[in-house]
Amino acid sequence: ELKTPLISYHAHSDDRRTAELIDRLQAGDDVALVTDAGTPLVSDPGEVLVTAWAGRGGAVVPVPGASAVLAALVGSALPSARWGFEGFLPRKGRERAERIDRIATDDRTTVLYEAHGRVAATLRDLAAACGHERRATLARELTKLHEEIRRGSLADLATEDPLTLSRLDTNDLPKSKDADPNEWTLRAAT
């Protein structure tokens, strides 16, 4: 049973919440930044808080734990000596197109995150920019009961049934309290 007070800190937290936590740190309190999915700061809003505290000379003590990025890299069976991480791509527009173009010309394996409703479209965009035969891996629910890893070409992965591509058929499976069927980790390599 957790008895420590919890304070929410998320993408929609404003500057006042950051200031409140910085004030507590300056007063000598310890603050632990935890997340319900992956590692804090890896495509996570905690970056704002850590940057603000470190900028004031505060100590930041990382505690190793689960990392979807590294789990996907290891499970992908794609080259891992050199790789890059893109986080979530912009949903649309010029910035999205430019980032996908950079991925297409990068010779390293690229790891990115995508929400379930955009996986198929992102795979199609990557296939168009990177080439339909470029090898890729989809991974979701890593280290959890319903872990799934799919490997193939971008074109093959993009043409799978969007319903099964974006989530497992969980109607016949027991629900995991920490399962998040809404997030996939996409990996594309040369």
Side-chain angles (χ1 to χ4, degrees):
E1 182 177 317
L2 187 63
K3 295 185 189 276
T4 303
L6 299 176
I7 299 171
S8 66
Y9 191 83
H10 48 76
H12 304 292
S13 293
D14 60 19
D15 293 340
R16 291 177 296 188
R17 178 56 52 92
T18 302
E20 171 191 344
L21 293 170
I22 293 295
D23 288 346
R24 291 183 71 164
L25 287 162
Q26 287 177 323
D29 290 348
D30 290 325
V31 173
L33 183 62
V34 297
T35 181
D36 61 349
T39 301
L41 274 69
V42 177
S43 201
D44 180 89
E47 179 180 2
V48 173
L49 178 61
V50 169
T51 300
W53 180 236
R56 288 172 173 77
V60 176
V61 180
V63 178
S67 169
V69 174
L70 294 177
L73 183 66
V74 170
S76 72
L78 294 171
S80 60
R82 294 178 59 244
W83 58 279
F85 177 63
E86 289 290 325
F88 286 95
L89 294 176
R91 292 182 181 195
K92 57 187 174 184
R94 191 178 83 219
E95 186 182 353
R96 177 183 173 87
E98 289 171 355
R99 294 228 345 238
I100 288 174
D101 286 345
R102 284 195 303 269
I103 291 168
T105 60
D106 193 341
D107 65 348
R108 302 172 302 165
T109 296
T110 300
V111 180
L112 58 101
Y113 291 155
E114 189 55 277
H116 80 282
R118 294 189 300 268
V119 171
T122 296
L123 285 167
R124 286 190 300 271
D125 291 347
L126 288 167
C130 301
H132 294 282
E133 296 309 311
R134 188 164 175 175
R135 294 181 306 141
T137 299
L138 287 176
R140 78 173 195 77
E141 296 296 319
L142 296 174
T143 74
K144 297 178 184 173
L145 178 64
H146 303 299
E147 176 178 290
E148 184 174 6
I149 298 175
R150 297 185 189 183
R151 297 174 189 91
S153 69
L154 285 168
D156 289 343
L157 291 170
T159 59
E160 289 191 26
D161 177 6
L163 182 60
T164 59
L165 182 64
S166 64
R167 65 177 66 211
L168 285 173
D169 180 4
T170 56
N171 294 329
D172 299 325
L173 298 172
K175 301 288 185 198
S176 168
K177 68 177 178 63
D178 58 351
D180 181 1
N182 300 322
E183 188 174 296
W184 280 88
T185 301
L186 301 175
R187 298 192 29 33
T190 54

